[in-house]
Amino acid sequence: MTRPTPKEIKPIALVAGVPVDDEIATRISNSIGPAFEGFAAIAGTLPFDLEPALYPIAQTQKVSK
């Protein structure tokens, strides 16, 4: 997980339907960059079972014995 650059942010924003110019992409990069840097030390170490989208499935799944 690395800090996204304005060059990476522009196509992501375009796909999301919110095209941005170079100045806005730079501002977004500067705004979210510190969060990426803060998690850099543990990037790739969290287990996949912490992915929250699967919680409802896991909570309602019946266990077969």
Side-chain angles (χ1 to χ4, degrees):
M1 179 182 335
T2 60
R3 180 183 191 142
T5 65
K7 186 177 179 180
E8 296 167 325
I9 288 173
K10 284 187 76 165
I12 293 169
L14 184 61
V15 168
V18 187
V20 296
D21 61 23
D22 292 339
E23 180 184 352
I24 300 295
T26 300
R27 289 176 57 201
I28 293 170
S29 176
N30 290 337
S31 296
I32 65 174
F36 279 84
E37 291 166 354
F39 282 102
I42 61 168
T45 63
L46 297 175
F48 283 107
D49 65 340
L50 293 179
E51 206 284 305
L54 299 177
Y55 283 176
I57 293 171
Q59 294 295 323
T60 60
Q61 193 71 25
K62 294 188 181 205
V63 178
S64 299
K65 290 187 182 186

